[in-house]
Amino acid sequence: VRCQQYPPLRALQASAALRRASDEHKKEPWASSSQQHFDSPPAGHQPEQKPQGPHPSYTGQGGQESEDYESEEQLQHRILTAALEFVPEHGWTAEAIAEGAKTLGLSVAAAGLFHSDGSELILHFVSECNRKLSELLKKEQKLVQLGEAEKKPIDEFLRDAVEARLRMLIPYIEKWPQALSVLLLPRNIPSSLNLLTSMIDDIWHYAGDQSTDFNWYTRRAVLTGIYNTTELVMLQDSSPGFEDTWRFLGNRVADAMTMSNTATQVQSTGEAVVQGLMGAAVTVSN
Amino acid sequence: PSAGAALRPCSTRVAQKGINKPVIDRIIRVDHAGEYGANRIYAGQMAVLGRSSVGPVIQQMWNQEKVHLKKFSELMVAYRVRPTVLLPFWNVAGFVLGAGSALLGKKGAMACTVAVEESISEHYNNQIRTLIEEDPEKYKELLQVIKQFRDEEQEHHDIGLEHDAEATPAYSVLKTAIQLGCKAAIFLSERI
């Protein structure tokens, strides 16, 4: 499973201001590695603080630091996760991030750590969804390996995986068009493309794809097309439970299967024709 | 606000904790492409010289390349490495090179074999060096595979020499041209 964390853009002075502004709550000290980024620490302010008694140990995935110290990325990760709750109301904006920071007991200036267009929040959300999808697929795979579940046929597997991933958008569906447009900003395209391709690669991997030829690319391209078009349909779907979307998805997956079967048939027909011609040529030449 | 967000890939693949993914990716991708190309070269040579006296020799070398390709295909799936986009191109280019060199005669085919196998051996040696510099223990299995394949490619090289590869007209020109092509192929397949 390949998941990516997005250490958000750093507004360095803002994070120093954040620390100053934070109140009586238990504050995690900044890890020493982020210190060298501070060019002018506020006067009289100590860059590093000793841990103040027991506090929630956040085991992020970056962590070279010891358990007592939370890195800047882990903090940003927590803020963004908390901010998601406010997205349906405020959209993918600094307001949502500020509200999220407030629930963690941090100052609203925390929103200054991030870009104003909500890029990091959206990328964080996508990354988290992909991670959840991977875990789900891995769990299903384990069940199949243990013999507790039937192995799904490929079309059903792909349909279920794409549906599961798209369902994660449902709570945020009103504001998702805004998110899509932000993801398409040139600045964000490398990251969003990366997230998309790794998600599609994950789905194919768990579907059991073992191609080592050009099929590797064809399959992923086709599934990416299915995913993107279904996502767009979903944005305009007002049917109960998004049933129109799932029907659309089923049809696209079925189309893809038909296409691949046809391609196989065409290939074997072609080979048979060639063999026939060779046989005819040999006969004629004799 | 500063430069673009940096990507921090976090891998949770059990079999691959702690490996240097970009390096391993490249190694497996280029080796897979190389064996695929070698397969096609021998296929081209067999198409022309299959029924001649060197047919059996080429066939035997081809069989070994098939084993190599199979092994790298397995490694590719195990490490979830993407194959090079250029595979369809190597498909054609390899066959054309093999058939073309074979049309120059048996010695031509052998000269092509010598050139390609020399390139591949050197390339494998570079990879072995890279892996040993990284961590010989962690990459023990991969190192073993590459070492064995390098030895077999070296054998092919020697077989080519034994069959009068050097007696080919314009041998050094032919050899240099083919080796340049191999270098370009290696460069591209690692990246694309």
Side-chain angles (χ1 to χ4, degrees):
Chain A
V1 153
R2 202 175 60 192
C3 61
Q4 276 134 334
Q5 283 185 328
Y6 285 87
L9 310 178
R10 295 189 182 112
L12 309 172
Q13 316 299 43
S15 25
L18 159 69
R19 290 210 333 271
R20 253 177 308 156
S22 298
D23 307 329
E24 51 277 7
H25 63 278
K26 286 200 186 76
K27 200 162 52 84
E28 279 76 13
W30 293 97
S32 53
S33 64
S34 51
Q35 292 317 300
Q36 62 250 74
H37 293 292
F38 288 93
D39 31 12
S40 55
H45 186 87
Q46 279 191 285
E48 210 161 295
Q49 296 180 12
K50 291 281 176 276
Q52 298 154 17
H55 54 81
S57 68
Y58 180 85
T59 46
Q61 289 165 340
Q64 316 93 326
E65 294 84 12
S66 74
E67 267 188 45
D68 289 344
Y69 288 83
E70 185 188 47
S71 75
E72 190 170 339
E73 272 132 43
Q74 290 169 347
L75 178 67
Q76 288 169 339
H77 192 268
R78 277 202 310 142
I79 296 177
L80 292 178
T81 308
L84 287 177
E85 189 189 328
F86 301 94
V87 166
E89 189 188 333
H90 296 280
W92 307 92
T93 57
E95 280 86 56
I97 300 180
E99 294 293 325
K102 271 208 311 221
T103 62
L104 293 178
L106 298 169
S107 150
V108 300
L113 281 172
F114 308 101
H115 234 87
S116 56
D117 59 5
S119 293
E120 294 97 337
L121 182 55
I122 301 171
L123 288 170
H124 170 83
F125 173 68
V126 172
S127 169
E128 282 300 298
C129 288
N130 290 355
R131 191 183 51 83
K132 277 190 237 161
L133 179 67
S134 291
E135 283 171 10
L136 174 68
L137 293 177
K138 204 190 292 186
K139 240 188 295 189
E140 281 180 13
Q141 189 190 49
K142 266 209 190 78
L143 288 178
V144 171
Q145 281 172 351
L146 293 173
E148 291 173 21
E150 284 293 311
K151 189 163 158 50
K152 292 186 204 167
I154 289 216
D155 56 350
E156 194 185 322
F157 184 93
L158 296 178
R159 222 188 27 238
D160 289 348
V162 173
E163 183 179 331
R165 175 62 178 80
L166 286 174
R167 278 189 183 274
M168 298 181 198
L169 298 179
I170 293 182
Y172 308 92
I173 195 81
E174 305 272 314
K175 308 286 182 182
W176 192 244
Q178 177 200 352
L180 279 183
S181 63
V182 169
L183 284 175
L184 286 173
L185 289 174
R187 178 169 39 91
N188 291 328
I189 288 203
S191 314
S192 62
L193 207 50
N194 215 309
L195 282 169
L196 177 63
T197 53
S198 65
M199 186 244 311
I200 298 287
D201 181 50
D202 254 359
I203 297 181
W204 267 120
H205 169 74
Y206 286 106
D209 175 42
Q210 300 203 327
S211 41
T212 53
D213 53 3
F214 203 74
N215 269 327
W216 192 96
Y217 290 93
T218 322
R219 288 178 180 183
R220 279 152 185 76
V222 166
L223 187 58
T224 308
I226 295 177
Y227 179 85
N228 284 339
T229 49
T230 311
E231 189 180 27
L232 290 176
V233 164
M234 191 176 176
L235 289 179
Q236 300 170 11
D237 186 5
S238 48
S239 63
F242 294 95
E243 55 194 27
D244 284 351
T245 306
W246 311 135
R247 197 174 326 121
F248 177 88
L249 173 60
N251 289 339
R252 297 291 76 72
V253 172
D255 284 347
M257 296 294 120
T258 311
M259 231 179 18
S260 104
N261 287 340
T262 313
T264 322
Q265 279 175 1
V266 164
Q267 202 187 18
S268 43
T269 310
E271 281 168 14
V273 165
V274 165
Q275 282 196 351
L277 286 174
M278 301 277 272
V282 168
T283 316
V284 162
S285 68
N286 283 353
Chain B
S2 49
L7 288 187
R8 186 76 63 80
C10 58
S11 173
T12 51
R13 262 168 280 185
V14 173
Q16 295 157 44
K17 266 207 159 68
I19 66 161
N20 189 339
K21 191 85 185 23
V23 166
I24 298 297
D25 254 21
R26 271 195 179 186
I27 288 181
I28 295 184
R29 176 163 50 249
V30 73
D31 288 352
H32 176 264
E35 296 299 345
Y36 182 80
N39 255 274
R40 296 301 294 155
I41 293 177
Y42 284 123
Q45 291 188 342
M46 279 304 282
V48 176
L49 290 172
R51 263 163 291 208
S52 71
S53 58
V54 293
V57 178
I58 302 180
Q59 181 66 51
Q60 203 230 355
M61 293 196 285
W62 189 12
N63 291 341
Q64 276 187 314
E65 299 296 354
K66 287 185 191 165
V67 170
H68 291 186
L69 179 61
K70 185 153 172 290
K71 182 63 179 169
F72 277 118
S73 297
E74 286 165 14
L75 286 174
M76 186 166 254
V77 172
Y79 284 93
R80 285 179 68 174
V81 176
R82 144 187 94 80
T84 165
V85 189
L86 298 169
L87 278 181
F89 183 69
W90 300 142
N91 187 352
V92 174
F95 193 87
V96 165
L97 174 61
S101 62
L103 286 172
L104 293 174
K106 298 182 205 151
K107 300 201 198 94
M110 290 303 156
C112 171
T113 302
V114 167
V116 172
E117 300 294 5
E118 190 178 304
S119 283
I120 291 195
S121 298
E122 184 191 327
H123 163 71
Y124 278 153
N125 277 331
N126 289 340
Q127 290 189 338
I128 291 171
R129 247 186 304 263
T130 307
L131 287 176
I132 289 185
E133 271 166 17
E134 285 269 327
D135 189 337
E137 270 314 301
K138 213 190 289 180
Y139 303 118
K140 201 155 73 151
E141 191 221 336
L142 190 55
L143 268 170
Q144 224 171 331
V145 167
I146 298 182
K147 279 183 190 163
Q148 184 199 337
F149 288 6
R150 180 216 40 203
D151 294 341
E152 288 172 7
E153 307 294 1
Q154 192 65 32
E155 269 173 33
H156 294 182
H157 171 266
D158 297 339
I159 291 175
L161 286 177
E162 279 168 31
H163 283 82
D164 299 328
E166 283 162 330
T168 318
Y171 172 69
S172 49
V173 176
L174 186 62
K175 184 166 175 237
T176 315
I178 294 178
Q179 292 195 321
L180 259 170
C182 285
K183 277 207 180 66
I186 290 175
F187 180 83
L188 288 173
S189 299
E190 275 180 341
R191 289 158 182 79
I192 316 184

